[in-house]
Amino acid sequence: MDLKNIAEFIFDYETPIVFTAIHNGHYVSENINKNMNIDEETRRREEDSNTEFFTELGANSIVGKTSRCEFDINRTPDKAVYMKPEDSWDMKIRKRKPTGFEVAQSMLRYDAFYAETKKHFDVLKEKFGKFFVYDVHSYNHRRAGDTKPPAPLPYNPEIIIGTNNMPVNRADIIHDIHKDFLKFDYLGRTLNTRINIKFPGGNFSRWIHRTYPNSACCVALEFKKIFMDEWTGEMFPEIMEKLRDAMMGTIPNIKKNMDRLKF
């Protein structure tokens, strides 16, 4: 199967660290797009647009190309295709319920993503014995409207560290990531960073830990969309750079912890 519109996989296998942005995608298959009940602007607002920017920190990366509104890589197979508004932020994503053919079509592409991911992760496991994955996402915090107040703190921090299904012996890694974000100088202040608030991580991180229980560590990072205007799509390059710098500051401790981690 052609993976071009599913995801982009770039690996040089020279490091055991992988950067992913699986919800970055905007592509929708032509026949499925005809059944979309939301306009392109609304759809883009629910995607993690431009999170591929954060994957540029390393030579191993996976960037999603298909919109989560066609199928959601970060959901389990039975939930990957949104069937009702409760599955998708209480929005009616499609004009009519997807047909069996449409669901099967999307799930073939979903399975192809995971099969290709496993090929690359198997190489890292074979070469290094263990590897680390940054699972990068972003989330909306102005759902009430662009003229309304943003969602309140503390339940909407600027960075959320998700540790979904992570074995307890990875605790030092999480502690150091949290510490590194908190000590970063973000425009003269500290970034509001919390663990497992709102988003503890989704199916992708669970799949990684289940598939590689003795060799992988995956941390889900949710960046609040302070790096853009979530209603107009305007990006704020200075803030994007600062957030990526903050993320880069976590790498040395991750390398240190991975070196001493015993699975």
Side-chain angles (χ1 to χ4, degrees):
M1 176 176 287
D2 185 1
L3 295 167
K4 179 179 66 174
N5 291 321
I6 300 175
E8 180 180 43
F9 297 84
I10 300 176
F11 282 79
D12 72 358
Y13 307 112
E14 294 304 312
T15 171
I17 297 179
V18 185
F19 299 84
T20 73
I22 61 173
H23 276 162
N24 180 84
H26 187 63
Y27 173 83
V28 174
S29 300
E30 183 178 358
N31 64 319
I32 291 175
N33 192 41
K34 291 176 181 177
N35 191 35
M36 280 287 146
N37 191 53
I38 57 175
D39 59 32
E40 189 170 2
E41 181 181 345
T42 301
R43 177 160 61 83
R44 194 180 295 278
R45 189 163 57 246
E46 299 304 338
E47 297 157 349
D48 295 357
S49 301
N50 295 289
T51 46
E52 65 181 315
F53 174 80
F54 298 100
T55 70
E56 295 171 4
L57 286 173
N60 299 325
S61 65
I62 302 173
V63 176
K65 296 299 181 183
T66 292
S67 173
R68 64 191 302 178
C69 292
E70 177 168 344
F71 63 89
D72 193 333
I73 286 295
N74 211 27
R75 304 264 180 108
T76 55
D78 60 316
K79 297 291 186 182
V81 176
Y82 305 151
M83 303 296 285
K84 53 188 184 299
E86 303 93 275
D87 297 333
S88 47
W89 319 284
D90 292 324
M91 292 193 303
K92 190 173 185 290
I93 296 292
R94 310 206 188 196
K95 297 172 185 175
R96 54 163 174 75
K97 185 177 178 180
T99 65
F101 173 81
E102 289 167 342
V103 172
Q105 170 190 344
S106 292
M107 293 313 298
L108 280 174
R109 303 178 72 227
Y110 174 100
D111 290 341
F113 170 87
Y114 276 99
E116 184 68 16
T117 299
K118 188 174 186 303
K119 288 180 185 177
H120 293 290
F121 287 177
D122 283 351
V123 174
L124 293 178
K125 177 184 176 183
E126 179 68 23
K127 182 171 183 178
F128 296 101
K130 50 196 172 184
F131 60 94
F132 182 90
V133 180
Y134 285 96
D135 176 25
V136 181
H137 298 267
S138 63
Y139 77 97
N140 294 324
H141 65 117
R142 306 192 71 98
R143 285 196 175 277
D146 58 343
T147 62
K148 302 293 184 181
L153 293 171
Y155 295 107
N156 293 273
E158 289 161 325
I159 300 175
I160 301 168
I161 302 170
T163 66
N164 204 333
N165 198 38
M166 187 177 292
V168 294
N169 68 338
R170 290 15 170 222
D172 285 349
I173 295 178
I174 302 306
H175 172 77
D176 281 344
I177 291 173
H178 192 205
K179 180 179 64 177
D180 286 336
F181 275 127
L182 290 177
K183 74 181 183 184
F184 180 77
D185 181 2
Y186 174 73
L187 305 175
R189 66 172 178 83
T190 299
L191 282 163
N192 188 306
T193 307
R194 302 190 69 186
I195 299 172
N196 293 334
I197 298 295
K198 288 177 73 80
F199 305 109
N203 183 67
F204 186 54
S205 57
R206 285 197 301 271
W207 175 84
I208 291 171
H209 291 134
R210 184 174 67 248
T211 307
Y212 303 95
N214 299 315
S215 51
C217 181
C218 176
V219 168
L221 293 180
E222 286 273 357
F223 290 101
K224 184 158 68 173
K225 289 185 180 178
I226 58 173
F227 59 86
M228 66 180 293
D229 183 320
E230 65 190 57
W231 285 92
T232 67
E234 178 188 359
M235 307 306 297
F236 307 140
E238 180 185 9
I239 295 178
M240 292 184 74
E241 291 282 357
K242 294 297 286 186
L243 292 175
R244 191 170 68 174
D245 288 347
M247 186 174 163
M248 183 167 60
T250 68
I251 295 174
N253 268 326
I254 285 173
K255 290 180 176 177
K256 179 187 70 178
N257 280 306
M258 291 297 287
D259 284 344
R260 70 189 186 196
L261 187 60
K262 300 292 189 254
F263 287 96

